[in-house]
Amino acid sequence: MNDPNPSDLPPPFHNIPGLSNFRDIGGWPIATPPSSNTNPDALTPAPPPQYRVRHHILHRSADPTLLPLSSQKTLSSAPYNISTIFDIRSIPQLKRAGGAYDFSSHGIERVWLPVFGEEEYTPEKAGLRYVQYSADGTEGIVGAFEEILRAGGATFAHILLDANAVEVVDGEGKDRACLLQCTTGNNRSGAFIAVLLSLLGVSPSHIAHEYSLSAVGLAATRAQSVERLLKNAAFVAAVGDQAPYRAERMLGARPESVIAMLEMVERRWGGAEGYVRGVCGLEVWEVERVRRVMVEKVEGDG
């Protein structure tokens, strides 16, 4: 069976030539937005209206390093209006990709916020991470997700505060949106997006489905990604003669992985808000602003 052409992918994907796994995280349903406000007098006794994550605030994708000029222009123009790209890759990955990119000629600022420092990419540490990502079951990948979340507190705080410092006009971000990217837009981006959606009140089943969409978004470039992994000496040394199978597994986006991750977040930090406040350092009012900006009422409900 042939891999799908990116231009044939259904919403929430958008076709940007040269960019894999590009999608808006908006649109996911929320039954009742959570709140940090524990004052019972502030609660509304009426049945809650239906809500959803607001579109055109935050997008996610794989590495945009090789984007042609026409695609850079498309990203910075309506309806996307991308003005900031958060690049959360580490130095060794930047080197393998040919270095950092510069889209400033189209009004797009690259903000480099690596989750892991260069010291975390010794052959031993990189090998352990490869084993975790490609392991059977969920224990290994949840361990990798936990490491991402622990190391990425400052990174994710910056993204949350910057991406939500927008003016909402007519229900959408006004002339400014952000893009979060790692190498494939799958695991580091996926862990953060999952916690953010949980913070906003999206159900675990919908979060797991959103995460699993990366398998679709990366299908067209899957063969090249597997080939790249099989040429990575640290990966092959870590997984041994199972390298082809482990490469395929590492590039997956299994919904049970993110369900298990959310359960871990609940155990470790008391849920998404506990993580965002305890590890990322956001104040209550900052959490509430994130929710206010990123959640909207569905018209016609309530």
Side-chain angles (χ1 to χ4, degrees), residues 153-172:
T155 295
F156 298 156
H158 187 117
I159 294 168
L160 281 172
L161 296 177
D162 194 317
N164 289 281
V166 300
E167 179 186 7
V168 175
V169 176
D170 295 331
E172 296 182 354

Side-chain angles (χ1 to χ4, degrees), residues 32-49 51 288 291:
T32 307
S35 175
S36 302
N37 191 336
T38 58
N39 178 6
D41 295 333
L43 300 179
T44 303
Y51 296 83
E288 288 301 319
R291 289 173 173 149

Side-chain angles (χ1 to χ4, degrees), residues 274-290:
Y275 167 75
V276 167
R277 292 180 60 188
V279 179
C280 301
L282 268 67
E283 301 289 344
V284 171
W285 69 268
E286 292 172 319
V287 174
E288 288 301 319
R289 175 174 173 79
V290 169

Side-chain angles (χ1 to χ4, degrees), residues 132-165:
Q132 289 177 312
Y133 280 136
S134 64
D136 294 323
T138 61
E139 183 177 355
I141 195 166
V142 169
F145 283 149
E146 182 173 359
E147 184 183 13
I148 288 168
L149 293 177
R150 288 187 185 279
T155 295
F156 298 156
H158 187 117
I159 294 168
L160 281 172
L161 296 177
D162 194 317
N164 289 281

Side-chain angles (χ1 to χ4, degrees), residues 21 23 60 141 145 185-187 208-218 222 248-258:
N21 208 19
R23 61 190 189 267
R60 59 183 295 185
I141 195 166
F145 283 149
N186 187 7
N187 289 318
H209 182 59
E210 198 286 333
Y211 172 74
S212 73
L213 288 175
S214 285
V216 179
L218 295 169
R222 189 177 185 87
E248 291 281 353
R249 189 161 179 84
M250 184 171 168
L251 292 168
R254 297 173 296 281
E256 63 269 21
S257 298
V258 83

Side-chain angles (χ1 to χ4, degrees), residues 24 37 42 53 64 102 195 231 239 252 273 278 284 287:
D24 190 339
N37 191 336
V53 180
D102 181 4
V195 170
K231 291 179 179 178
V239 302
E273 181 168 344
V284 171
V287 174

Side-chain angles (χ1 to χ4, degrees), residues 25-35 49-58 163-164 166 168 171-173 196-202 287-299:
I25 71 161
W28 293 98
I30 299 169
T32 307
S35 175
Q50 293 297 305
Y51 296 83
R52 67 186 173 202
V53 180
R54 196 185 304 275
H55 287 97
H56 307 305
I57 300 290
L58 183 61
N164 289 281
V166 300
V168 175
E172 296 182 354
L196 172 57
L197 293 179
S198 182
L199 183 73
L200 300 179
V202 178
V287 174
E288 288 301 319
R289 175 174 173 79
V290 169
R291 289 173 173 149
R292 185 168 65 252
V293 170
M294 295 207 69
V295 174
E296 65 177 352
K297 183 178 177 183
V298 178
E299 292 186 11

